[in-house]
Amino acid sequence: VMASMAHLQKEKLRLQEELLELQEKLAAQENNELSLSLQLQGQVETLKAKLLEQAQEISRLRSELGGTDAEKHRDLLAAENERLRQEMKACEAELRELQRQQQAPCRDCPHLQENARLQEQLSQLQREAEETRAKLVELDLEVQQKTNRLAEVELRLKDSLAERAEEEERLSRRLRDSQETIASLKSQPQQIKYIIKTVEVESAKAKQALCETQSRNQYLQEQVGMQKQVLKEMEQQLQRSQKTEAQLRAQITMYEAELERAHGQMLEEMQAMEEEKNHAIEEAFSRAQVEMKAVHENLAGVRTNLLTLQPALRTLTHDYNNLKRQVRDFPLLLQETLRSARAEISQAIEEVHNTNRELLRKYRRELQLRKKWHNELVRLKNIRVFGRVRPITKEDGDGPEAANAVTFDADDDAVLYLLHKGKQVSFELDKVFPPQASQEEVFQEVQALVTSCIDGYNVCIFAYGQTGAGKTYTMEGTAANPGINQRALQLLFSEVRSKAADWDYTITVSAAEIYNEALRDLLGKEPQEKLEIKLCPDGSGQLYVPGLTEFRVQSVEDINKVFEFGHIKRVTECTNLNEHSSRSHALLIVTVRGLDRSTGLRTTGKLNLVDLAGSERVGRSGAEGSRLREAQHINKSLSALGDVIYALRSRQGHVPFRNSKLTYLLQDSLSGDSKTLMMVQVSPAEKNTSETLCSLKFAERVRSVELGPVSRKAELGSWPSQEHLEGDSSGSAAPPGRGHASPSPGHLSSRSASIRRKLQTSG
Ligand code: ADP
Ligand code: MG
């Protein structure tokens, strides 16, 4: 409610502001109009003043026109008239004098002729005067015609002229009288003579007066002409003035009309604005009223609300007071809580810190362990043990003997189970290939090893197992389905080709056989010749076999030729190849030498593919002579191989490479960072279970070296020779290396030494 009240209040304020704004606008407009009207009034005033000026000018011109020239002219004429009248008077006076003189008798005056002549002259003068008068009348008429305003003057002039005429008339009458008198006087010659004489004298005077009159007349005429000219100019000026006046009048009317219009417009605008203002005010007022009404309504609502809210307010006040109390107490409480929280936090931090320190310590230890184990794993990974179970073949025959004794774990491809004498024994290797595993699949697992030899690693792949378990099948395979040997070489070729841009590689192949601890070259000209293994004279500690043939191969075809050659050699050398091959170790040694053209770096990797002799035990009682010798050699070399692998995996200081030709020959391919794969071949047939058991035990023992040092030593304790394996076959069926008690280290080392001695003496 408060909020709505505030809102309404705000709205009201806003409206008031709006109203004020409108009023201000209105005032501004009014001011504007006022200034406009003032401006216009000023203009009107100036126009009026101009008008007045013009009127004055006109009146001035008018007065000039009337008062100056015409009146002057009239005055002049009047003066002239007066003057003439005076002259006339003077003339009359003279005439009277003459008449008086003539009355004196001088009838036959000798001057009578002269008198007549004079009279003639006089009459002529009179005539001339007459003419002049006429001319004057004409001029008067002209003047009368030119201006009405001069009418009065002219009238006066006329009057004066008339008077003059009258005077002249009178004068002429008098002249006539005088003439009559003269005529009468002529009768009295003496008197006349005198009179004539006087007249003569007088006439000269009259002549002069006439002349003067004439000149004056002429002057008057000139004056009249001048006056006419002036009149004309004045008329023109008058016309011009009238024109200007008309123009000014038109302008004035125009201005007035404009003024009128502007005034009307202004009035209209003012009215419109007034209306607008009124309208706005009304609107604002009505809106304000509506809003006020709404506010009132709201207020009423608020009031009712307030009434209802009062109890709530009371409770709120109560609550508020409570809260206030709490707030008052809060800082204390907060401080208390903060103190305890801080203490707790610092304690927790301390704990966490300690834990962290502990964890860090453990982590570091773990890291170290991990590193150690990682190194171990890398090393162990270099020696791996696979198992491959061949399928049941026709040679296994049928019946219970050919029954399958080997099963697999569906979830773990590293485990297989052997049913031996009614008991199932489980074995765990690095990987187990079931019978259906193809050559391709097997090679897939091996190819990484093969390619590492391009990078300069030495690699050994052994096929171990009893005769007929599939060693040769895995290593050599068939023509249609080649084994590791051919596939490895093919892979090496393709790899070398892909690196040909930067590297030059040469691949050489040797093939050898170890039979009865004698090494023979399968590719040499003298297969019967026994080869020796010797130390390199360069002091590198490396071994080499002088006289061992090395074929450089450049294609798959070359390899096939080499294999064929070796095979033929082997076949021609023995009467029974199968029998012979099962009694000897066959080695294919591939050497890959690389040169990095850009850096000059050289690498050498050796791939040793070994098809071992059959691991089956020869009956202790049955074997004699050469068979026994063969068996002993095989036993020795296979035991030595196991021994070496064990020594390598358990990182013993001494690795007994020299205990057999095989391990001695492969010394540099087994030690260091070399990689070894033991492929343990087994037969699944029921009749072979005892040999299968032995092979798997060998495999697991080789592999079980991975268990820590103690276990390794424990394993060492049970590390068997081939003969031991034989003895085991009738013994416990428990998986080897599992659950065996660990003897004490001291005991172990003495035992291991005795076993090694035993192994050595057994050879
Ligand atoms: P070993 O070399 O160990 O004496 P062989 O490789 O000669 O054994 O194999 C004996 C017989 O078994 C041969 O006829 C061989 O073709 C066959 N054989 C071995 N392994 C397989 C296999 N994985 N698949 C099919 N036949 C096999
Ligand atoms: Mg074979």
Side-chain angles (χ1 to χ4, degrees), residues 268-296:
E268 258 172 39
E269 272 177 25
M270 269 172 77
Q271 201 165 348
M273 277 160 85
E274 189 74 26
E275 272 168 19
E276 207 177 313
K277 179 181 99 180
N278 288 342
H279 186 67
I281 288 168
E282 267 170 30
E283 214 171 82
F285 187 69
S286 62
R287 213 159 53 202
Q289 265 182 337
V290 168
E291 269 156 22
M292 273 308 279
K293 207 166 148 191
V295 166
H296 277 301

Side-chain angles (χ1 to χ4, degrees), residues 388-391 393 395 435 437 466-474 611:
R388 189 177 187 187
V389 182
R390 72 153 168 82
T393 58
E395 285 76 43
Q466 74 172 113
T467 303
K471 296 184 295 296
T472 308
Y473 184 83
T474 293
D611 185 353

Side-chain angles (χ1 to χ4, degrees), residues 589-727:
I589 303 160
V590 184
T591 311
V592 184
R593 292 184 180 88
L595 168 67
D596 186 345
R597 278 195 296 275
S598 57
T599 60
L601 182 79
R602 284 178 189 278
T603 60
T604 304
K606 239 197 257 182
L607 176 63
N608 301 281
L609 302 159
V610 188
D611 185 353
L612 291 169
S615 62
E616 65 274 7
R617 296 142 300 162
V618 180
R620 269 176 289 184
S621 51
E624 283 175 348
S626 69
R627 282 292 276 157
L628 186 65
R629 223 160 66 95
E630 272 179 1
Q632 280 170 342
H633 281 303
I634 291 164
N635 178 45
K636 182 192 164 191
S637 62
L638 290 179
S639 296
L641 184 62
D643 230 4
V644 162
I645 290 172
Y646 165 80
L648 287 168
R649 289 187 69 144
S650 56
R651 287 205 273 183
Q652 289 182 359
H654 173 72
V655 182
F657 290 113
R658 281 172 168 271
N659 284 359
S660 78
K661 267 262 155 52
L662 180 70
T663 51
Y664 189 44
L665 179 67
L666 297 177
Q667 179 172 344
D668 53 358
S669 292
L670 288 166
S671 56
D673 53 3
S674 305
K675 298 172 184 196
T676 301
L677 173 69
M678 183 69 79
M679 183 71 83
V680 176
Q681 296 283 154
V682 294
S683 156
E686 170 63 40
K687 61 174 182 184
N688 297 126
T689 51
S690 130
E691 283 303 329
T692 300
L693 187 73
C694 282
S695 294
L696 289 172
K697 275 183 177 175
F698 175 85
E700 208 175 48
R701 276 169 193 152
V702 168
R703 197 182 159 267
S704 65
V705 185
E706 282 182 37
L707 304 170
V710 177
S711 308
R712 279 209 295 270
K713 277 168 187 163
E715 283 304 311
L716 182 66
S718 61
W719 182 255
S721 70
Q722 290 297 110
E723 281 147 355
H724 261 87
L725 289 170
E726 193 180 355

Side-chain angles (χ1 to χ4, degrees), residues 529-541:
E529 191 187 350
K530 287 182 186 174
L531 299 176
E532 290 301 314
I533 302 161
K534 293 191 170 165
L535 264 172
C536 264
D538 61 4
S540 62

